[in-house]
Amino acid sequence: MSTIPARRGFFRSAVNALIEARQREASRYVSGVLLGFDDETLKANGYDREELKKAARSRYV
């Protein structure tokens, strides 16, 4: 029996979890920056202020 596949699975899962966490962090950051724009600009680009507020403070985006 080899432990290499189990080890690879562990590291792969750890890296995937790290990537997902960083993606959520980036999404929260971008939502916060977009909230700096006025409502007309947001609407023209397909964003909704209330949804951005939720995403900016959300733990899971």
Side-chain angles (χ1 to χ4, degrees), residues 28-42:
R28 284 191 308 269
Y29 177 81
V30 169
S31 295
V33 170
L34 288 173
L35 284 170
F37 292 106
D38 62 302
D39 289 334
E40 292 175 15
T41 303
L42 290 175

Side-chain angles (χ1 to χ4, degrees), residues 2-21:
S2 176
T3 59
I4 293 175
R7 192 177 303 155
R8 185 178 302 138
F10 169 78
F11 287 115
R12 182 174 295 162
S13 296
V15 169
N16 287 342
L18 178 67
I19 291 169
E20 289 176 21

